Amino acid sequence: MNKYFKTMSLLCAATVLSVFSVQAEESVTIESLLTEMVDHESVARFPEKNFRLKQTSSYSRESTTPDEPKNWFKNHDYNSGPNDHNFVRVEENNGRKEWVMMDHSGPGVIVRSWMPWESPEKGTSDVTLRIYIDGSAEPVLVGNKLGLFDGTGLIPYPFGHTSLRSSVNFFPIPYARSCKVTLDHLPHYYIFTYREYDEGTPVKSFTMEDFEALKPLTATVGKTLLSPTIGRTAQPVGFTAQLDPKAEKQLELPSGVGSIRELSVKLGSYENMDVTRKTILKMEFDGMETVWCPIGDFFGSGIGLNPVQGWYRTVAEDGTMSCRWVMPYKQSAKVSLVNLNDEPIDAQVSVKRGAWTWDERSMYFNAAWRGQYPVHTRPYSDWNYVTLKGRGVYVGDTLTVMNPTDDWWGEGDAKIWVDGEDFPSIFGTGTEDYYAYSWGGRSTDFYEHPFQAQPMSHKYNKLNRKTAVGERNTQGYSTETRSRSLDTMPFARSLQLDMEVWTWTECDMGYGVGVYWYGDATTTSNRKPDPEEAIAVPRIPEKIASPFDGAVEFEKMKLVYAPPHLEQMPQNLKKYKGSWNENDHVLYKGLAVGDAVEFKIPASDAVAQKLILYATKSDNFATLRFTVNGNPAGGDVDLYAAKPVAAKPIELGTFEPVEGAYVLRVEVVGKKPKSEGTFFGLDNVVCKSNK
């Protein structure tokens, strides 16, 4: 072969390889998605391959319209028995009965999944999860529903991880034509979030061969997520200054097209927790103010200094708060701090800049804040994070609540409408689930992950970890934060994100949320600067008066007399209407009319005390008669109700203790005709001194 033809052959081969390379690059693949996951620039441009984020979950199928509040706020977003149908369908595959949780037709990618533990103490399961792709009769992925995605199995950490009492996955699972996800047992709670691409978008489906071949890239991306860097930047610019009360300090960046690659703020002192709420970050790009947000809500710290490490943001123990969202601009950029505190603050600001090529997909970075106190928890309501109009991409939020009671506050579901949908395409199963953990008050501990974290809860953070396993007190500030990479939410016309206010107690809470998105110059939001609300930091009550203060639980009460046929068992009543101390009672059954039981209640004082009994009503409960120390204690009490509900407080009367105690006799004296039995449920007795 002569030199000319040899050269032409090499050129042709190179051209063919180049064509295949371009085609491969144009397809959505595991490799392209892993690369995108750690590309800070990608979220600053509207997606080249158009998609919308969708979700399938165990949300209550009775929730159909806000015009029917009873069902819209129904807290039955799970499956526990044959009458529950919060899933797609049941089918038989290869002789197996399987429950379908997700069934999507068209090109897409599973980008996030969440499943909670089956109980607060049980992080294991014998239930099998299967993922079928492109109509195949055989699953491409099979594994334990928790172990597959908790970071200990096939999917490595940090893509799979446990967060708090949950199994959460961020490893991308692409499919060209369809995807179906099943369990071989009734699904309890679940969330699968996926990209829905335009029809015809080329996607290379997940295979185990590709997964194995890409293990080196997976390991590299995982390390990058845990130790984020920003690459080469220009010499940082910034300022160090003392800001007087109500003063503002501004930094103007060199003019010309460019981008902020890293922004850091450090205050001289965080001794006063309010300083992170009352110090405001403002930013302008090309003459437009796109950022107005308290620094704690911007960087993910919440109220006070709560260290946390994520992919886009870091709050260091020395007080340095940094973010790595890329913020492009055409001509100009300004960064300002505003001091809304009553005292001067010392502040340092540093900005690292990089190049940017502006194109039709480039967007401006935005951050806004909403705060409200009080937020009354009854009736249940949807609390709007933000409503956006125009084109953009939603990339994250940080919620800080002030809960005045020790009861769990986070049952409220996320509801997200995109581009004018009649029904939210994302309907969640709880505020805790949106932020990727579960089991409420049991999980009041610090956790962090590149894309989500709980920097503060109750009194615990990274520097003060929770050690008491059974503690469920959620009073105080809780901060939840989430930032998005593959699970960003593009919108062409609009986006509305609401979070239900759904707690177990009627009270006045405080809510504050920082929200972050990219948008065109014409994209608008319903959030405006609100300095008055920012300085009105909701206070944690020192002591919450509870009707159960000093309660003696029947579970711990000494039973001094009972017929041999008595049966008793504790029951959790969390899902029912009303309030019970510690959300439970003791069920007593096996007794007939005329039977009685006696309990010994320790007195909390030597003087006469008023005794108040708390009980439950239900459809198979009896009518009871009470005596204390042999004396009549009120009239007969009918405990029948069509559904389980907390009974009104039963005032037994005022009695002198005998040998430091009271003997409470409970007699079954009858039942209503509608009642199906002579059971009864008792919660506690409160002894109040008459002083």
Side-chain angles (χ1 to χ4, degrees):
M1 182 182 293
N2 64 36
K3 185 177 181 180
Y4 171 78
F5 284 106
K6 184 177 181 180
T7 302
M8 290 303 295
S9 297
L10 289 171
L11 287 172
C12 289
T15 301
V16 171
L17 288 172
S18 176
V19 169
F20 279 112
S21 176
V22 169
Q23 289 177 343
E25 289 175 1
E26 289 179 349
S27 294
V28 177
T29 66
I30 300 174
E31 183 176 4
S32 72
L33 291 162
L34 289 173
T35 303
E36 180 186 344
M37 184 180 285
V38 289
D39 179 6
H40 281 113
E41 290 190 5
S42 65
V43 295
R45 288 187 168 93
F46 198 82
E48 184 176 11
K49 293 178 177 60
N50 192 42
F51 71 87
R52 292 296 178 268
L53 195 72
K54 303 289 184 176
Q55 182 169 287
T56 179
S57 76
S58 57
Y59 81 93
S60 174
R61 294 335 192 239
E62 295 179 74
S63 300
T64 57
T65 172
D67 296 332
E68 298 177 1
K70 182 178 179 180
N71 287 335
W72 187 247
F73 296 108
K74 193 154 191 175
N75 190 39
H76 196 88
D77 39 28
Y78 57 89
N79 301 285
S80 61
N83 294 325
D84 293 332
H85 300 283
N86 296 325
F87 50 88
V88 179
R89 65 178 179 274
V90 181
E91 63 183 27
E92 188 170 298
N93 294 313
N94 300 317
R96 279 188 313 270
K97 189 176 182 181
E98 296 182 26
W99 283 258
V100 179
M101 298 178 290
M102 172 181 171
D103 190 9
H104 177 237
S105 296
V109 185
I110 295 177
V111 292
R112 182 180 185 265
S113 67
W114 166 89
M115 280 193 173
W117 289 6
E118 294 176 353
S119 74
E121 296 81 22
K122 186 182 179 183
T124 59
S125 173
D126 57 3
V127 178
T128 299
L129 179 144
R130 293 174 172 86
I131 299 180
Y132 301 84
I133 285 179
D134 298 341
S136 173
E138 296 299 323
V140 69
L141 280 173
V142 181
N144 182 275
K145 77 166 188 176
L146 298 178
L148 184 62
F149 292 141
D150 67 3
T152 66
L154 180 70
I155 305 300
Y157 182 82
F159 305 96
H161 63 288
T162 56
S163 70
L164 293 172
R165 294 178 170 83
S166 296
S167 178
V168 187
N169 175 54
F170 284 95
F171 193 90
I173 304 172
Y175 49 93
R177 300 192 306 276
S178 65
C179 181
K180 180 173 69 177
V181 183
T182 73
L183 292 181
D184 63 2
H185 189 275
L186 179 71
H188 194 202
Y189 296 85
Y190 68 88
I191 292 175
F192 286 86
T193 308
Y194 58 95
R195 290 182 173 187
E196 181 180 77
Y197 287 106
D198 288 347
E199 194 65 36
T201 301
V203 176
K204 188 175 188 293
S205 296
F206 179 98
T207 66
M208 283 305 301
E209 291 78 11
D210 287 345
F211 177 80
E212 292 293 333
L214 290 169
K215 278 187 173 180
L217 176 62
T218 299
T220 298
V221 171
K223 291 177 181 177
T224 303
L225 288 171
L226 295 172
S227 301
T229 59
I230 59 170
R232 297 179 60 184
T233 61
Q235 188 70 21
V237 295
F239 65 75
T240 299
Q242 183 177 84
L243 278 69
D244 291 330
K246 310 303 181 282
E248 177 176 342
K249 176 68 175 178
Q250 185 179 93
L251 171 67
E252 187 167 352
L253 303 186
S255 61
V257 65
S259 62
I260 293 176
R261 298 292 170 135
E262 185 176 70
L263 167 66
S264 297
V265 173
K266 182 179 181 181
L267 302 185
S269 173
Y270 296 91
E271 185 176 354
N272 183 345
M273 294 174 60
D274 294 357
V275 72
T276 59
R277 175 60 60 82
K278 295 181 180 180
T279 302
I280 308 299
L281 175 68
K282 289 172 53 177
M283 303 181 74
E284 292 182 18
F285 297 105
D286 296 334
M288 300 173 291
E289 183 176 287
T290 67
V291 174
W292 193 99
C293 191
I295 61 171
D297 304 271
F298 182 86
F299 291 103
S301 179
I303 296 175
L305 179 66
N306 297 298
V308 64
Q309 171 68 54
W311 169 241
Y312 290 105
R313 294 164 299 166
T314 300
V315 178
E317 293 182 23
D318 71 353
T320 303
M321 302 181 176
S322 305
C323 89
R324 290 169 290 276
W325 277 303
V326 175
M327 306 177 191
Y329 51 92
K330 295 179 180 178
Q331 294 293 333
S332 64
K334 297 177 182 178
V335 179
S336 303
L337 280 188
V338 181
N339 179 17
L340 299 181
N341 296 274
D342 293 329
E343 302 293 333
I345 61 170
D346 295 319
Q348 300 175 24
V349 171
S350 176
V351 175
K352 295 179 181 179
R353 298 167 295 126
W356 186 263
T357 301
W358 196 276
D359 57 22
E360 71 279 358
R361 295 194 296 116
S362 297
M363 298 177 293
Y364 292 100
F365 179 81
N366 292 256
W369 179 79
R370 182 193 179 192
Q372 183 182 350
Y373 178 78
V375 176
H376 199 61
T377 62
R378 297 292 186 275
Y380 304 116
S381 62
D382 288 323
W383 196 78
N384 178 244
Y385 275 27
V386 70
T387 298
L388 305 170
K389 303 291 185 182
R391 186 184 77 153
V393 176
Y394 189 82
V395 297
D397 41 69
T398 297
L399 173 68
T400 296
V401 301
M402 188 285 290
N403 179 21
T405 79
D406 59 5
D407 286 337
W408 174 234
W409 58 269
E411 294 290 343
D413 302 337
K415 301 166 184 174
I416 306 174
W417 292 259
V418 176
D419 293 339
E421 297 167 325
D422 292 330
F423 189 83
S425 54
I426 294 181
F427 201 129
T429 59
T431 309
E432 61 192 313
D433 314 339
Y434 177 84
Y435 292 105
Y437 67 101
S438 59
W439 292 106
R442 298 291 185 94
S443 297
T444 52
D445 194 10
F446 168 85
Y447 90 93
E448 65 182 6
H449 178 269
F451 299 127
Q452 59 213 8
Q454 182 169 254
M456 174 69 180
S457 184
H458 180 42
K459 58 184 178 181
Y460 303 112
N461 65 8
K462 195 172 189 175
L463 306 179
N464 178 35
R465 297 299 301 274
K466 183 176 182 177
T467 57
V469 176
E471 181 189 322
R472 294 187 288 182
N473 190 340
T474 65
Q475 184 186 29
Y477 298 122
S478 289
T479 296
E480 325 293 339
T481 189
R482 178 174 177 180
S483 56
R484 298 167 177 264
S485 180
L486 296 185
D487 59 333
T488 57
M489 291 191 289
F491 53 96
R493 301 191 311 276
S494 64
L495 181 143
Q496 176 183 332
L497 196 165
D498 291 352
M499 190 71 72
E500 287 179 355
V501 176
W502 210 115
T503 77
W504 289 105
T505 302
E506 182 173 358
C507 61
D508 288 330
M509 293 185 64
Y511 269 65
V513 68
V515 289
Y516 330 114
W517 72 95
Y518 286 89
D520 294 331
T522 55
T523 302
T524 61
S525 87
N526 62 339
R527 295 288 150 248
K528 306 300 179 187
D530 193 353
E532 291 186 4
E533 195 68 42
I535 62 176
V537 181
R539 297 294 170 219
I540 304 169
E542 292 184 8
K543 173 69 175 175
I544 300 297
S546 168
F548 305 128
D549 283 348
V552 181
E553 293 285 308
F554 274 89
E555 294 159 287
K556 303 173 184 177
M557 214 174 280
K558 183 178 180 180
L559 191 60
V560 295
Y561 169 76
H565 47 274
L566 172 70
E567 299 178 49
Q568 55 182 324
M569 58 181 291
Q571 286 185 315
N572 188 294
L573 302 171
K574 186 176 180 180
K575 66 180 180 180
Y576 296 113
K577 183 177 180 181
S579 295
W580 290 265
N581 193 35
E582 300 183 0
N583 295 318
D584 57 16
H585 77 173
V586 177
L587 175 68
Y588 299 91
K589 58 183 183 178
L591 301 181
V593 173
D595 285 336
V597 292
E598 293 184 356
F599 304 90
K600 190 172 185 178
I601 306 170
S604 58
D605 204 331
V607 300
Q609 292 185 295
K610 182 179 182 180
L611 272 58
I612 303 172
L613 184 144
Y614 292 86
T616 306
K617 290 187 170 186
S618 194
D619 61 351
N620 53 6
F621 280 15
T623 300
L624 304 181
R625 182 175 298 159
F626 303 98
T627 65
V628 175
N629 294 341
N631 300 304
D636 294 350
V637 177
D638 174 26
L639 292 179
Y640 168 80
K643 295 181 180 180
V645 63
K648 292 181 178 180
I650 301 168
E651 296 192 2
L652 300 175
T654 301
F655 303 92
E656 296 276 353
V658 177
E659 297 181 354
Y662 305 96
V663 174
L664 171 67
R665 179 182 173 87
V666 181
E667 181 183 356
V668 178
V669 295
K671 71 181 185 70
K672 271 194 170 181
K674 290 183 179 180
S675 179
E676 298 174 2
T678 53
F679 300 173
F680 57 92
L682 303 179
D683 180 11
N684 67 83
V685 172
V686 174
C687 304
K688 294 186 176 182
S689 298
N690 292 327
K691 291 184 177 179

